[in-house]
Amino acid sequence: MCGIFAYTGSSGKDASKILLDGLVSLEYRGYDSAGIFTPESGSVKTPGAVAELKKKVPKKFNGKSGIAHLRWATHGEPTEVNAHPHSDGSGELWIVHNGIIENFKELKDKLTKKGHTFRSSTDTEVLAHLVEEYLKTEKNFEKAALAALNDVRGTYGIALQYKGEPDKIIAARMGSPIVLGLGDGEHFIASDPSPILPHTKKVVFLEDGDVAIITPDGHTIQKLDSSSVKRETTEIDWSAEEVQKGGYQHFMLKEIMEGPEVIENTLRGRLIAQTGMAKLGGLEAVAEELSQIERIIIVACGSAHIAGLIGEYMIEEFAGIPVEVEHASEFRYRSPVLNQRTALIAISQSGETLDTLEAVREGKRRGALTLGIVNAVGSTIARETDAGVYNHAGPEVSVASTKALISELVALTLLTIFLGRQRGMSEKTAQEIALALKELPNKVQHILGSSKEIEKLATKYASMRDFIFIGRKYNYPVAFEGALKLKEISYIHAEGYGAGEMKHGPIAMIDENFPTFAIVPKDSVYEKNVSNIHEIKARKGPVIALATEGDNEIAKLADDVIYVPQTLEMLSPILNVVPLQLFAYYFAREKGLNPDRPRNLAKSVTVE
Ligand code: G6P
C-alpha cells in the first residue's frame, strides 16, 4: 500500500526534483514516512509525508536517476530507519518496495548466518541483502535480482537500483501494481500512472511475475524464469490536472462535488432510452454466458462492498437472479460453492485491492464467470476478470471513497437493466429506470447546492462521540456508508443498522447524547421507518432525518431534516449517500482533521 516512483533520464534533468514532485500525487497511497535515493547524492528518509522529505533534502541533492517511496507501515514502525529506500550492507544496492515478503524471517535468518547485519525491522531490507548475496556469485545486477526474486514468497512491487549501473533500474511485480512510463530519453516506474502523466502518457502495466529493466533509452520485460515477454503500451487520457484539487480545500470535497459529472460519465453512450436497453460494450463478449447464469456473487471491500449490497437489492428485484454479497477478505478464505452458472462480480475503485483480486482468482479457480466493476483503467482486476464495466469516474484521490461509490451504483443499475432485459424485464420498466437515471445529475446538483446547511448541521453535532445511522431496504446499506464515512475520517464511533433491528439491541444505547441519522425517504418502507423514529424520540435521542422533499410531517418529529429530491426507490441510495458524504466531510473539518488523510488508512489496500 505504499507508493513507488523511479526515474532514469539522459537529458540532464534533476531526478530528485522529478521524484519529489511525483511523490506528491502518490500521497494517497501512504504517508507514514518517505524517502529518496540517487546514486550521485545518496539517500534521505524521514517519518511523515513528502512535505517533510522536501524540507530535509539538501539543496545540492541531485542525480540523473533515482528511486523514491511513500510508506504505509506494515512491518515495523513508521520511523526514519524503517523508511524506504533500503540498502544492502555495502550501500551499493537500493530498493523501494510495496507489499509484504512473507518468508522474510526465514531469509533474514539465513542471511544473518552468512554475516549480514540489518538496520531496520522491515521485510524490504532483507530483499536488498538477498540481491547483494547473489551479486557475489552472479556478478551481474540483473541476474542477481532475478535469483533473489525467485527466493521470495509474498507480494511485491519494487524498484531496485545499483550504484555500479546507475542508469538502470529494475522493477518487479507480484501482487502489487507497477506501471512503466515510456518517455523520450527518460523512463519511469511507479505504483500508478499519476506521477508519470506530467511527463508522458505512454505507459505499460506489468503483470504478476514480470521483471522490467528501464534505462533512459528503453525498457525490456522478462518473466521470473528469464524468458522475455512483450506487454502492450497504453495511452492514458487522464490529464495530470485531473488528479489535482481543482480549487477545493480537499480532494474529498472536490470529488463529492464531481458527483453530477460522474453520473453523466458512467452513463454516457450506455443507455438507449427508446428501447429501454443498456449497452455495455465490456460485457458483449460474455452476453450469451450471462443470459445463462443462475447466481451472482459480489465481492468487494469498504465502500465498494456497500455498493454491492445495494446492487443485490436491485438485481434480485429487477433481474430475478439470486445475489450474495461478500467481503472479499472472507470469501477468499472459505470454501464457496460455485459453478459455471455463477457470475462473480468484483467491485473495486482502484482495481488493485488485494483481497478483491484474490477473490476473483478464487472465483476463477472454482469455474465462475468473473466480471469487474472497476474505475482504474488497466488495473489488475480489470485485466484479470473475464469481462466488465468501467465506471469512468476519473481518478479518485481522497482516501475515503465518494464519487467512485456513486459511479459503482450507476454501473450496477446499468447492469441490472442489462441482466433484467435478458430475463423478461419489460421495456416500460427499463425505460422508467433509464429516464430516472438521466434525471439524477440535476438532482445531485440540487443536493450539492444545500451543502452550506449540511455544513451547519455538522457543526451543530460535531461534539457528539457516537452516532447511529438507520435505514431499510435499499437504504439499509446506505446506513452503513453513512457510518463508515464518519468513522473513517472523524474517528468517532458510528454504526449502521437496519431500522427494524434497532429494538433488538442498539436502542439500549440511545439517550440525549446519542444521535440517530435516520434515512427515511418516501418509499415502500416509509411508515415503518417513521415508527422507528418515534421509538428513538421516546428515549430522548436526537434525530437527523434524511427525507424526501415535500415531507413536512417528518420535520415535526425529527430534530433536524435534510431534504433530497424524489426518485425511484432503487435509485434513492445514489441521492442519499451525497448528504452523508458531505456531513462526514464537514464533521471532520469541524474537528480540525484532514479528511483526505485519515490516520491509519490508505486509498489502495494492496496488503491482506
Ligand atoms: C480502502 C479505502 C476505501 C475503499 C476500499 C476498497 O479501504 O479507504 O475507501 O472503499 O479500500 O477499495 P477499492 O479500490 O477496491 O474500491
Side-chain angles (χ1 to χ4, degrees), residues 92-95 127-128 130-151 156 158-172 189 209-216 218-228:
E92 291 288 304
L93 282 157
W94 289 80
I95 185 170
L127 188 49
L130 193 59
V131 181
E132 178 187 21
E133 191 56 35
Y134 275 112
L135 202 53
K136 289 181 196 159
T137 47
E138 299 285 352
K139 311 263 185 252
N140 174 296
F141 176 36
E142 289 164 35
K143 283 189 183 156
L146 268 179
L149 289 168
N150 273 294
D151 282 356
Y156 53 79
I158 60 161
L160 179 68
Q161 202 169 14
Y162 174 45
K163 274 188 180 170
E165 295 184 64
D167 282 355
K168 186 183 279 179
I169 302 174
I170 297 180
I189 296 163
D210 285 357
V211 181
I213 296 162
I214 62 161
T215 61
H219 77 280
T220 56
I221 306 174
Q222 53 191 299
K223 302 300 293 176
L224 280 171
D225 62 7
S226 26
S227 56
S228 70

Side-chain angles (χ1 to χ4, degrees), residues 354-382:
L354 193 56
D355 280 324
T356 311
L357 175 60
E358 287 299 337
V360 168
R361 290 174 176 164
E362 184 61 30
K364 271 196 166 175
R365 277 193 286 274
R366 289 174 184 267
L369 171 71
T370 57
L371 308 178
I373 294 181
V374 172
N375 190 35
V377 175
S379 58
T380 314
I381 294 174

Side-chain angles (χ1 to χ4, degrees), residues 5-7 13-23 36 186 188 195 199:
F5 191 34
Y7 171 81
K13 284 187 197 166
D14 176 8
S16 64
K17 184 173 178 331
I18 292 172
L19 291 173
L20 289 171
D21 290 347
L23 280 189
I36 183 171
E186 54 184 6
F188 306 81
H199 308 281

Side-chain angles (χ1 to χ4, degrees), residues 1 28 299-306 347-354 356-357 373 375-376 381 391 396 398-402 404-405 408 481 484-485 488 598 601-605:
M1 164 126 23
Y28 70 93
V299 290
C301 302
S303 292
H305 175 259
I306 290 166
I347 307 178
S348 175
Q349 186 287 128
S350 62
E352 301 292 351
T353 301
L354 193 56
T356 311
L357 175 60
I373 294 181
N375 190 35
I381 294 174
N391 307 6
E396 189 179 68
S398 170
V399 170
S401 186
T402 54
L405 169 66
E408 284 156 1
E481 176 62 7
L484 180 63
K485 280 285 139 319
E488 278 179 303
L601 299 180
K603 179 74 183 156
S604 182
V605 183

Side-chain angles (χ1 to χ4, degrees), residues 583-606:
F583 183 81
Y585 170 77
Y586 289 119
F587 196 94
R589 224 187 54 180
E590 181 64 25
K591 291 174 88 69
L593 301 168
N594 179 349
D596 285 343
R597 295 279 187 79
R599 71 183 182 202
N600 307 338
L601 299 180
K603 179 74 183 156
S604 182
V605 183
T606 50

Side-chain angles (χ1 to χ4, degrees), residues 468-606:
I468 195 154
F469 290 72
I470 57 168
R472 275 175 192 260
K473 205 173 171 184
Y474 280 99
N475 288 288
Y476 168 48
V478 173
F480 297 153
E481 176 62 7
L484 180 63
K485 280 285 139 319
L486 209 53
K487 274 189 274 220
E488 278 179 303
I489 60 172
S490 290
Y491 323 142
I492 66 158
H493 163 236
E495 283 183 63
Y497 238 83
E501 275 292 299
M502 270 301 273
K503 55 188 168 298
H504 297 290
I507 202 158
M509 297 188 289
I510 295 297
D511 63 18
E512 55 276 19
N513 296 314
F514 200 130
T516 300
F517 219 118
I519 304 148
V520 54
K522 274 276 189 189
D523 60 9
S524 61
V525 285
Y526 175 76
E527 302 297 339
K528 307 265 178 234
N529 276 327
V530 170
S531 305
N532 299 131
I533 297 178
H534 276 290
E535 288 157 12
I536 292 160
K537 285 311 305 170
R539 275 109 188 142
K540 300 196 168 45
V543 172
I544 306 171
L546 185 53
T548 305
E549 271 170 7
D551 180 4
N552 300 325
E553 286 306 303
I554 207 82
K556 295 178 193 156
L557 187 59
D559 298 79
D560 292 285
V561 187
I562 300 172
Y563 284 112
V564 302
Q566 176 79 278
T567 183
L568 293 182
E569 182 170 274
M570 71 181 299
L571 300 181
S572 63
I574 301 177
L575 297 184
N576 287 336
V577 294
V578 177
L580 299 182
Q581 293 170 348
L582 283 169
F583 183 81
Y585 170 77
Y586 289 119
F587 196 94
R589 224 187 54 180
E590 181 64 25
K591 291 174 88 69
L593 301 168
N594 179 349
D596 285 343
R597 295 279 187 79
R599 71 183 182 202
N600 307 338
L601 299 180
K603 179 74 183 156
S604 182
V605 183
T606 50

Side-chain angles (χ1 to χ4, degrees), residues 6 105 123 129 151 172 232 241 356 391 403 417 429 445 481 487 513 557:
K105 281 213 174 69
D123 49 345
H129 283 255
D151 282 356
E232 236 177 84
E241 292 78 50
T356 311
N391 307 6
K403 66 172 181 173
I417 299 175
T429 305
Q445 197 60 57
E481 176 62 7
K487 274 189 274 220
N513 296 314
L557 187 59

